[in-house]
Amino acid sequence: MTDIQRPYSFFILLILIFFGLYGIFRFRKINKSLGIANLMNNFHENRLFRRFKVSILLRTSFRFLACVSAVFAFAGIYWGTKTVAVQKSGDAVAFVFDISWSMNAKDAPGGLTRLDAARQYAWKLLDRMEGTSASVILAKGDGMIAVPLTDDRSSIDSILESLSPSLMTAAGSSIGRGILSAMQSFPKNMSQNGRVWVFTDGDETDGTLGSALEEAARVGIPVTMIGFGTATPVEITAGDGVTKVKTFLNAEKMIDAASAAGKKSLLPHPRLSSDNSISYVAADSEGSAYVLLNQLSSKKVSGESFEVQKISHHRLFIFFAIMFYIFSFVVSEVELGFRFNPKKTAVLGLFALMPLFSSCRSEKFSVLNGVFNWYQKKYQSATACFLRSYNEARSEEDKVLADYCSYNLAATYIMQEEFDAALNRLEQVSPDADSGLKSAVLYNTGIIASRRGDFSLAREYFKKAVLADPSNVNAKINLEFAQQQVESQTAKSAEKEMNAASVEKSTSALESAVFNLIQQEEKERWKKLQSNKKDSSVVDY
């Protein structure tokens, strides 16, 4: 399947065609004028004139093809797919709810309708999905994104409470379009593991379920269908409020569609067979919720993941553009024949063949591509390039390249604030690495410590980085900064202790003053009591 990123760029071809036709018109006009004059010359000059015409035509054709190739390169044409290693953290789940009238059938456990059971089931899942982003898609007519991908549980709860077939006036049910809308709800180059959960009874009216599942399998987005209802037909009232129809859980249809789509999945890696698949599970089956929750990466050890990406061929068209442009000069040198210069032609041919030898080490080229993406802040693409180079370097036992790939991965994770993953990659760098790389590793470890607020630890790592490579200016600057932060924290803690001591001292002084006041009042009361006793004794006597 071909995808064009910038189709509007093909309008440039119209301009090229216009200039091409204009060039042909001008050439024919000049050719006619020169042809009349050429009839007066001898045969040898006539032959040169014919070669001159061929040379001009070839040069113009090659330059026209070079411009066309440049336009195709700018258009961003994608075809074919490949599996790419990426670093994913966290999960994102798109909840697709079938809200067709068939979901009003009351054959769910406890006398609930299928839609009410789906709502309760989703709430139970969300209670155990802390830290997982979610979106809500309504599958009725065209799939509609009711709640975009979010971590706000209240917005999801509000739409779940109001689930009803009357939310959308579109007729029929389109589970397939709901799945396609769910796939569109995921941002491009998302750093989370995206998957789709479909709550349905399998009753659809447009037959797009199979094609949608195949598309999900093609791009590597896992889809799990959760079936609600029973196989026994249940009579319901259609959307017109009059017609009576019978509906049942069409589990076989969903199982067959999942099996057919799974065979077309482009994720052959064995680690992906259980997590990245198209599957079906009955909602009332034992352990169905466990099956769904176990798909989330937070429920198991997470690490490198794989995803299917379309292959961009802009480099191929750039290569063609350069080659055609060079050939336009080559044919000029060869065909003119006035003063053929073999050295110049050899140099041009050498430049033309250089791209064929530029990728002798694909993993090194991938590292350069990753660095380029890193500076463009395309961290997801950079991660994919570095992971691919790291795996190839490990397979070829190239320790130096593997160390640099680990360091580059750590730098990429730091920019994405994935500090634990960065530390794991920094630990993979060999202790025998050269001093420059070792200093850079210690420096980045200090950066992580300072990001986490541990300036004492950061100071130690910056100090080690300077000792490993005294020319590391950044480590020296950050060492001074960390030292200032440590001294500032020490001064603040000392000030807090002094304030605490002064407060304690003032508190003790206040307590003694209050105690003296109470003691004085007690003495006065004792004196009054004694005087009252004397007076009362005289009267009694």
Side-chain angles (χ1 to χ4, degrees):
M1 184 177 180
T2 304
D3 185 21
I4 301 174
Q5 188 176 7
R6 289 177 287 272
Y8 56 84
S9 60
F10 289 119
F11 287 107
I12 304 176
L13 294 178
L14 299 177
I15 302 175
L16 292 177
I17 292 174
F18 170 76
F19 280 107
L21 294 176
Y22 178 76
I24 293 174
F25 172 75
R26 292 286 297 171
F27 176 77
R28 293 186 64 180
K29 190 174 181 180
I30 296 173
N31 183 33
K32 186 176 180 180
S33 301
L34 292 177
I36 296 174
N38 190 58
L39 291 175
M40 304 176 183
N41 298 331
N42 55 29
F43 176 78
H44 177 70
E45 293 175 348
N46 191 22
R47 185 179 62 181
L48 291 178
F49 176 70
R50 288 198 300 269
R51 293 175 63 182
F52 171 75
K53 290 194 300 183
V54 172
S55 176
I56 293 296
L57 286 173
L58 288 176
R59 185 178 66 180
T60 304
S61 300
F62 278 127
R63 291 187 180 180
F64 178 78
L65 291 175
C67 294
V68 171
S69 299
V71 171
F72 275 78
F74 177 73
I77 300 178
Y78 294 80
W79 72 77
T81 54
K82 61 180 179 179
T83 55
V84 177
V86 295
Q87 184 75 16
K88 297 286 188 178
S89 60
D91 298 279
V93 179
F95 287 79
V96 180
F97 289 94
D98 179 6
I99 59 171
S100 59
W101 290 100
S102 64
M103 293 293 287
N104 277 342
K106 293 185 178 181
D107 57 354
L112 297 174
T113 65
R114 298 171 185 174
L115 192 56
D116 289 335
R119 180 190 296 112
Q120 299 293 335
Y121 196 97
W123 271 331
K124 295 294 184 182
L125 290 174
L126 286 168
D127 289 338
R128 293 163 176 80
M129 292 169 56
E130 185 177 356
T132 301
S133 303
S135 60
V136 178
I137 291 85
L138 304 181
K140 187 173 184 286
D142 290 334
M144 185 189 76
I145 301 176
V147 178
L149 200 64
T150 180
D151 295 325
D152 184 10
R153 175 67 185 274
S154 60
S155 59
I156 298 176
D157 289 341
S158 62
I159 193 65
L160 291 183
E161 290 176 356
S162 59
L163 285 180
S164 170
S166 59
L167 280 179
M168 298 179 67
T169 58
S173 172
S174 180
I175 306 172
R177 293 182 182 179
I179 294 174
L180 294 177
S181 297
M183 294 164 56
Q184 294 174 1
S185 69
F186 297 133
K188 189 177 181 181
N189 294 328
M190 182 176 62
S191 62
Q192 297 169 300
N193 295 291
R195 56 185 66 247
V196 179
W197 291 346
V198 186
F199 299 78
T200 180
D201 57 5
D203 191 1
E204 61 170 348
T205 56
D206 60 356
T208 59
L209 177 60
S211 60
L213 292 177
E214 290 178 3
E215 177 65 17
R218 189 183 69 82
V219 300
I221 296 181
V223 178
T224 303
M225 295 171 287
I226 304 101
F228 291 86
T230 61
T232 305
V234 178
E235 188 177 80
I236 62 167
T237 303
D240 57 5
V242 178
T243 307
K244 300 292 184 180
V245 295
K246 289 188 177 181
T247 178
F248 62 94
L249 173 61
N250 201 340
E252 293 184 1
K253 176 182 179 180
M254 290 187 281
I255 293 174
D256 293 342
S259 177
K263 293 178 181 178
K264 297 184 179 182
S265 175
L266 297 178
L267 294 170
H269 198 279
R271 288 174 55 185
L272 307 172
S273 57
S274 60
D275 297 338
N276 294 268
S277 60
I278 312 299
S279 59
Y280 168 81
V281 61
D284 57 356
S285 63
E286 184 178 357
S288 61
Y290 174 78
V291 172
L292 294 172
L293 294 173
N294 195 48
Q295 294 176 358
L296 304 180
S297 62
S298 57
K299 300 296 179 183
K300 54 185 179 296
V301 178
S302 60
E304 297 174 6
S305 179
F306 292 80
E307 66 180 21
V308 174
Q309 294 183 358
K310 296 179 181 179
I311 300 176
S312 174
H313 295 276
H314 69 280
R315 291 192 183 93
L316 177 64
F317 289 109
I318 291 175
F319 171 74
F320 284 149
I322 296 174
M323 294 293 291
F324 284 136
Y325 193 71
I326 292 175
F327 285 153
S328 68
F329 286 100
V330 173
V331 295
S332 298
E333 287 292 322
V334 174
E335 294 295 336
L336 282 175
F338 299 127
R339 294 184 63 183
F340 175 67
N341 191 338
K343 293 183 179 180
K344 186 182 294 186
T345 305
V347 172
L348 291 174
L350 180 62
F351 276 106
L353 295 175
M354 281 184 63
L356 299 177
F357 304 97
S358 61
S359 58
C360 56
R361 289 292 302 273
S362 60
E363 61 270 19
K364 291 184 178 180
F365 178 76
S366 182
V367 170
L368 293 176
N369 192 21
V371 173
F372 180 73
N373 288 324
W374 192 91
Y375 279 106
Q376 288 187 320
K377 299 183 179 180
K378 298 178 180 179
Y379 299 120
Q380 196 70 27
S381 300
T383 302
C385 293
F386 293 143
L387 279 173
R388 182 165 57 251
S389 300
Y390 176 77
N391 293 330
E392 292 178 359
R394 287 289 300 274
S395 62
E396 296 182 4
E397 297 183 356
D398 191 343
K399 294 182 180 180
V400 176
L401 183 59
D403 288 342
Y404 276 96
C405 290
S406 297
Y407 170 76
N408 289 333
L409 282 169
T412 307
Y413 295 152
I414 290 174
M415 298 304 296
Q416 300 177 81
E417 296 186 354
E418 298 178 7
F419 299 132
D420 292 333
L423 288 174
N424 291 334
R425 288 294 177 180
L426 291 174
E427 291 175 356
Q428 292 177 357
V429 177
S430 174
D432 300 331
D434 61 271
S435 59
L437 180 59
K438 190 182 299 182
S439 177
V441 169
L442 294 169
Y443 171 77
N444 274 358
T445 308
I447 290 294
I448 295 174
S450 63
R451 290 275 187 92
R452 289 177 168 176
D454 192 350
F455 294 102
S456 298
L457 182 61
R459 178 183 60 183
E460 297 302 321
Y461 278 110
F462 291 141
K463 189 182 299 182
K464 293 179 181 178
V466 174
L467 293 175
D469 183 10
S471 63
N472 194 337
V473 179
N474 291 328
K476 294 178 181 179
I477 295 173
N478 282 275
L479 175 60
E480 296 180 2
F481 174 76
Q483 181 65 30
Q484 292 175 1
Q485 293 296 322
V486 171
E487 293 175 355
S488 176
Q489 289 180 349
T490 304
K492 288 181 179 179
S493 61
E495 184 179 355
K496 288 181 180 179
E497 291 179 359
M498 292 177 64
N499 290 336
S502 62
V503 169
E504 183 178 358
K505 184 176 180 180
S506 61
T507 302
S508 60
L510 180 61
E511 289 177 351
S512 61
V514 171
F515 179 76
N516 293 332
L517 181 60
I518 294 173
Q519 188 177 19
Q520 185 176 359
E521 289 180 354
E522 288 295 329
K523 288 182 179 179
E524 294 294 332
R525 289 178 61 189
W526 176 257
K527 289 180 180 179
K528 288 183 179 180
L529 182 61
Q530 293 297 325
S531 61
N532 290 336
K533 282 184 178 180
K534 290 180 180 180
D535 295 339
S536 61
S537 61
V538 171
V539 174
D540 290 341
Y541 179 79

